[in-house]
Amino acid sequence: MTRRAVRRALAAFALALAGVPSPADDTLAVAFTPDEIAKILAHGPWPPEVKRDPSNRVSGNADAIAYGERLFFDTRLSANGLVSCARCHQPGRHWTDGQARSIGLSPGDRNAPSVVDARLNRWFGWDGANDNLWAQSIRPMLDPREMGMTEAAVARTIREVPDFACRYRRTFGRAPGTDDRRVVVDVGKALAAFQETLASGRTPFDEFRDALARGDRAAIARYPDAAKRGLRIFVGRGSCDVCHTGPRFTNGEFHDIGIAHFAAPGRVDPGRHGGIATVRSSPFNLLGRHSDDAARATATSTRHVAQEHRHFGEFRVPSLRNVAATAPYMHDGSVKTLADVVRHYSELNEERLHVHGERILKPLRLTPEERADLVAFLETLGDGAPVFRHTERGRLECE
Amino acid sequence: MVPRHARLLVASALAMSPLAATAADLPVFDAHVHYSHDAVEVLPPADAIAVLRKAGLKRALVSSSGDDGTQKLVALAPDLILPSLRPYRTRADVSTWVRDETLVPWLEERLAKSRYVAIGEFHVYGADADLPNPRRVVELAKKHRLVLHAHSDVDAIERLFRHDPRARVLWAHSGFERPDEVRAMLRRHRNLWCDLAFRSEHGSDGKVDPAWRSLFTEFPDRFMVGTDSYTPERWHYVVEHANWSRAWLADLPKDLAERIAWRNGEALFGAAPAR
């Protein structure tokens, strides 16, 4: 957001106030203060600039993208030959599975997040156990409850399936060798290259936000009043934008919002506390030899991340783009609807929060109308879920 | 009748926790344990005691919203549990207790019925410490010779000492203050002790931060460690926390490490006559 755009938006706001308001004037039916406008403009512009991932030498490579697409939907990278990445990340469900907790080879503990816009993450997974998209793509293949493969089994499959081996050669310029780990890392990088292409589109909110930036009263008026009222709560009394910041509506970090984190009776999901231990010791982290970022400039966060007591039970703040299309919610899918999420914050159980840990969180005590407004705003963060179409390159057999 | 899921909880808590302490490990006095009503529901008292023993705790200063949880633990393990009376009937009282007129009679009733070594952990900040309820709590502590376990800012701690200059105060989380501020308070008040619960910066990755090392060295008799089990899930963290504490304490001279680990707690509460 440039200063000029903010000035222009504030000028538009002043213009709006200077006009003669009437009940029929939708532009003024819900007016925002200069402070609110500045906060709203901070949630754009969208989409962000596309950048390749320096840690992945095939990021943005067309052959890698096609290879990753093929692997993403193929079940042969699972121990029983029945599970693909797309089982939990289904294009028709906005790349989630609609389940509270996903089921691979066996039931898991967590809700499958969408992989759309995943390229913008700093940390991956609800616990941030990975610091890059290719490592995060390797994780489910090797998780016994998800796809259940070993590194040797993944590498063998790549070597033995002609299409996989052909695409590997085309993408990496050599045949898959005998170094299993190297093959696994390359598979992760191809999968990441494909997922980097999954970007969410423009939303009604983006149209409103940009209209506000350029002072387009007609376009501002088209944004529903209920959404405007909800947005005011979001950036105002609710302070939702403290954690759901920026164009992607997330600060990318981890918080405890008072959700119970028993994975099962008698078993706790440690959340970020465990994730930090994992990412620091992972052979696939950005500090390790598999990163293609020779300068390790992408590894600063990993180098400095430290485990603290407060991390126990913290989970990643999700993006809110397309949030209405990705129910159920929270790390364990324990909250069924968007209205339930809003109710959670409205009636927040402070007893579950450490006095010092999450000072921002207080019960919002919203009226039913206010809760509905907040939901109406969140629903404008959807891009209409465009239909995913397989690419020609991904569909054709490699020869 | 213990619910099946509660039994599963402890079985798992014990099985899946990090390695249990051994006899060779440094004993730990955990000065900040809660066993509130929601924890009691999922972790039966005998199983809670088992968790504390697995952690290698020599003693645990336990306070509970509702107090019943504390009493259940004391009944089972009087050698291990040092009971503290928390002025909360439910944890929701955390923000209302200072003005709740029904609270003091409840405290007096509890004090008449059971033995305690402290009152707390309670939360009070700034001028609220001058309200009638906090004043009365200080009086009750004086009358019954109890330690005050206060989660407070500097201002409130100063006010508590003004109410009773001879009070003994255990400063929860050391007020989340920086080492310099903690040092200033310790220099001003001979009867102030500090717990380090829910803070990590003094001993991250098994290394003691230089500013904290200096403070521990200047005041070797005033610090103790604590888990702060403020949700039921945090009982799954007691063992790991004890081991985490041992790791950074190992970076200190043995005598200093032992004092912070357990001797300071023993010295403070061993001097408190159990009622």
Side-chain angles (χ1 to χ4, degrees), chain A residues 261 266 280 309 351-352 354, chain B residues 9 12 91 205 228 233 237:
Chain A
H261 54 107
R280 290 175 64 172
H309 305 310
E351 294 196 20
R352 284 202 54 91
H354 195 272
Chain B
L9 170 67
S12 179
R91 215 180 300 132
D205 285 335
D228 196 355
E233 287 94 330
Y237 193 59

Side-chain angles (χ1 to χ4, degrees), chain B residues 85-88 94 97 119-124 134 137-138 147-152 160 172:
Chain B
L85 177 57
R86 196 171 209 197
Y88 306 157
V94 64
W97 77 275
I119 298 184
E121 177 207 16
F122 56 80
H123 300 71
V124 67
V137 162
V138 174
V147 172
L148 292 162
H149 193 188
H151 182 138
S152 298
L160 295 176

Side-chain angles (χ1 to χ4, degrees), chain A residues 256 259-270 273-274 277 280 305-314 349-359 362, chain B residues 5 8-10 12-13 16 37-38 42 90-92 94-95 123 125 151 173 176 196-200 202 204-205 228 230-234 236-237 240-241 244:
Chain A
D256 176 359
I259 295 286
H261 54 107
F262 283 109
R267 189 161 57 81
V268 162
D269 185 337
H273 197 268
R280 290 175 64 172
V305 70
Q307 213 177 28
E308 298 178 16
H309 305 310
R310 70 178 177 85
H311 291 130
F312 191 77
E314 287 186 343
N349 180 2
E350 288 184 276
E351 294 196 20
R352 284 202 54 91
L353 300 175
H354 195 272
V355 171
H356 188 75
E358 300 286 355
R359 289 176 174 176
K362 299 288 174 199
Chain B
H5 70 270
L8 281 170
L9 170 67
V10 72
S12 179
M16 298 191 65
H37 38 85
D38 48 358
V42 295
T90 73
R91 215 180 300 132
V94 64
S95 53
H123 300 71
Y125 308 98
H151 182 138
H173 316 287
F176 289 109
L196 296 164
F198 203 67
R199 50 192 310 170
S200 311
H202 55 282
S204 190
D205 285 335
D228 196 355
Y230 63 95
T231 62
E233 287 94 330
R234 290 255 159 190
H236 287 256
Y237 193 59
E240 184 161 351
H241 183 274
W244 178 86

Side-chain angles (χ1 to χ4, degrees), chain A residues 69-370:
Chain A
E69 179 186 336
R70 174 57 70 107
L71 294 169
F72 193 89
F73 292 95
D74 201 290
T75 58
R76 283 172 288 187
L77 290 178
S78 64
N80 67 355
L82 297 172
V83 180
S84 71
C85 307
R87 169 181 281 203
C88 300
H89 301 288
Q90 302 168 19
R93 292 181 180 272
H94 207 81
W95 304 85
T96 63
D97 60 7
Q99 305 285 324
R101 300 183 187 195
S102 296
I103 302 171
L105 293 178
S106 59
D109 293 334
R110 293 182 181 159
N111 178 259
S114 174
V115 291
V116 174
D117 297 328
R119 68 193 167 93
L120 301 173
N121 287 353
R122 179 188 298 123
W123 306 108
F124 294 79
W126 284 105
D127 58 1
N130 284 297
D131 60 1
N132 66 81
L133 186 51
W134 47 271
Q136 180 68 7
S137 304
I138 293 168
R139 189 200 59 74
M141 288 190 287
L142 305 181
D143 188 319
R145 292 186 299 177
E146 297 191 40
M147 298 165 83
M149 294 286 270
T150 61
E151 293 186 31
V154 170
R156 187 170 59 247
T157 304
I158 296 298
R159 285 191 290 263
E160 291 179 355
V161 175
D163 180 68
F164 289 172
C166 173
R167 288 178 187 277
Y168 188 99
R169 278 194 302 276
R170 187 179 284 174
T171 301
F172 297 103
R174 55 179 165 75
T178 55
D179 183 340
D180 292 344
R181 173 155 292 181
R182 186 170 180 179
V183 173
V184 167
V185 168
D186 286 342
V187 165
K189 288 177 178 174
L191 282 163
F194 165 63
Q195 291 167 87
E196 285 170 3
T197 67
L198 304 176
S200 65
R202 297 271 300 172
T203 70
F205 167 78
D206 296 317
E207 301 301 332
F208 169 73
R209 180 260 173 210
D210 290 359
L212 201 58
R214 64 178 184 269
D216 182 342
R217 290 170 62 105
I220 290 171
R222 283 196 289 275
Y223 193 59
D225 282 349
K228 286 175 187 161
R229 290 192 298 268
L231 175 55
R232 173 181 284 153
I233 294 169
F234 188 88
V235 300
R237 182 152 62 99
S239 297
C240 312
D241 64 336
V242 170
C243 297
H244 293 284
T245 55
R248 215 178 150 221
F249 292 88
T250 175
N251 61 9
E253 290 298 329
F254 302 81
H255 293 279
D256 176 359
I257 58 165
I259 295 286
H261 54 107
F262 283 109
R267 189 161 57 81
V268 162
D269 185 337
R272 183 57 171 154
H273 197 268
I276 290 175
T278 302
V279 74
R280 290 175 64 172
S281 62
S282 170
F284 306 123
N285 72 26
L286 291 171
L287 292 165
R289 67 187 178 91
H290 299 292
S291 170
D292 297 321
D293 174 16
R296 296 294 185 267
T298 51
T300 304
S301 296
T302 311
R303 190 174 290 115
H304 296 291
V305 70
Q307 213 177 28
E308 298 178 16
H309 305 310
R310 70 178 177 85
H311 291 130
F312 191 77
E314 287 186 343
F315 295 90
R316 193 160 58 86
V317 178
S319 166
L320 297 181
R321 289 195 172 264
N322 285 300
V323 66
T326 58
Y329 303 100
M330 307 304 171
H331 73 277
D332 57 356
S334 58
V335 180
K336 287 184 180 171
T337 69
L338 208 44
D340 293 335
V341 173
V342 170
R343 189 176 294 112
H344 168 79
Y345 286 104
S346 183
E347 300 167 3
L348 198 69
N349 180 2
E350 288 184 276
E351 294 196 20
R352 284 202 54 91
L353 300 175
H354 195 272
V355 171
H356 188 75
E358 300 286 355
R359 289 176 174 176
I360 185 77
L361 289 175
K362 299 288 174 199
L364 298 179
R365 310 284 183 221
L366 301 174
T367 65
E369 293 76 19
E370 289 171 328

Side-chain angles (χ1 to χ4, degrees), chain B residues 213-235:
Chain B
R213 178 186 294 272
S214 163
L215 189 55
F216 296 150
T217 304
E218 182 176 347
F219 297 98
D221 300 328
R222 307 278 202 97
F223 287 93
M224 47 196 93
V225 300
T227 301
D228 196 355
S229 49
Y230 63 95
T231 62
E233 287 94 330
R234 290 255 159 190
W235 275 84

